[in-house]
Amino acid sequence: MHYLNFHTHRPLPIDELSVPSFGLHPWHLTDDWASRLKVLEPSLMSEGTFVGECGLDKLCQTPYSLQCEAFEAQIALSERLCRPLILHCVRAVDDVLRLKLGTRQPWIWHGFRGKPEQMNQLLHHGFYISFGLRFNEACISECPLDRFFLETDDAPQSVVPLYEAVARRRFMSVEALCEQMWSNLRAVACH
């Protein structure tokens, strides 16, 4: 069985696969972001690739205006190339919701740790939710099975313990959860 580790920055164990994604993270933006994005664009031509991780982060050092410019360009790229978008968002929910209006491609909120009320707001706006190793247990229980993913992001460990914890919480087998994650990926990638 292969586990889907939706988003990670680490090498994967042999029984895990991840989604290839290319984008400009708000933490690492510089004034030359537009030329860097142009260099990434050919990588996004491959089937099954996602735009991101990209987004807005009001707690990082990068000027917010620069983040907004780069994020809006990546949204446009996602739409033009018909690629889903992996979102990084810290304290910028209202701005993200405004920018999401009118988009056709799926957006996946990566590393979600919020409360059920925020999760339901995001689900209402069409987001998918990707949960990492730290998650709100009520959200794991309440999120529709066909609208979430599991990831390790920067953690140097396997995603398998996360699958086991979520399967217990959802009263299902790890195998069934694994099948559901692959089904969710197919639904997002073929949107």
Side-chain angles (χ1 to χ4, degrees):
M1 175 168 61
H2 282 95
Y3 294 88
L4 173 62
N5 187 340
F6 182 76
H7 182 75
T8 185
H9 299 276
R10 304 283 185 173
L12 292 168
I14 198 158
D15 61 344
E16 293 180 26
L17 297 170
S18 189
V19 173
S21 62
F22 304 92
L24 303 175
H25 195 290
W27 294 355
H28 309 296
L29 289 174
T30 55
D31 290 332
D32 68 340
W33 68 263
S35 60
R36 291 177 48 218
L37 187 58
K38 193 95 174 138
V39 169
L40 291 177
E41 192 170 335
S43 300
L44 289 162
M45 299 297 184
S46 299
E47 194 68 30
T49 57
F50 287 39
V51 174
E53 158 188 6
C54 59
L56 301 173
D57 188 332
K58 288 190 175 179
L59 296 183
C60 80
Q61 299 297 318
T62 306
Y64 196 68
S65 60
L66 187 68
Q67 292 182 49
C68 290
E69 288 175 29
F71 185 41
E72 288 178 26
Q74 291 176 92
I75 293 167
L77 185 61
S78 165
E79 292 294 306
R80 185 167 52 83
L81 298 178
C82 298
R83 297 289 182 257
L85 186 140
I86 300 174
L87 176 69
H88 172 97
C89 181
V90 177
R91 298 201 180 165
V93 175
D94 291 339
D95 291 338
V96 164
L97 291 177
R98 180 181 48 78
L99 291 167
K100 174 98 169 67
L101 290 173
T103 61
R104 296 179 322 279
Q105 295 308 306
W107 288 20
I108 302 92
W109 188 293
H110 118 83
F112 184 79
R113 294 185 226 164
K115 295 181 179 178
E117 297 79 20
Q118 183 183 31
M119 179 190 72
N120 288 324
Q121 178 187 30
L122 297 174
L123 292 169
H124 176 75
H125 283 89
F127 285 86
Y128 285 76
I129 309 293
S130 185
F131 296 100
L133 299 171
R134 294 185 309 188
F135 56 84
N136 181 306
E137 290 194 15
C139 289
I140 284 288
S141 296
E142 294 176 23
C143 192
L145 273 175
D146 64 346
R147 297 292 294 281
F148 77 87
F149 294 100
L150 300 174
E151 64 175 72
T152 58
D153 194 22
D154 284 328
Q157 64 191 73
S158 168
V159 76
V160 175
L162 179 58
Y163 270 79
E164 292 168 346
V166 171
R168 276 191 307 274
R169 186 85 185 158
R170 296 298 299 238
F171 302 103
M172 61 190 303
S173 71
V174 171
E175 293 77 13
L177 180 60
C178 196
E179 287 175 26
Q180 183 66 55
M181 295 301 101
W182 287 109
S183 176
N184 294 353
L185 180 62
R186 286 189 296 277
V188 168
C190 296
H191 182 78

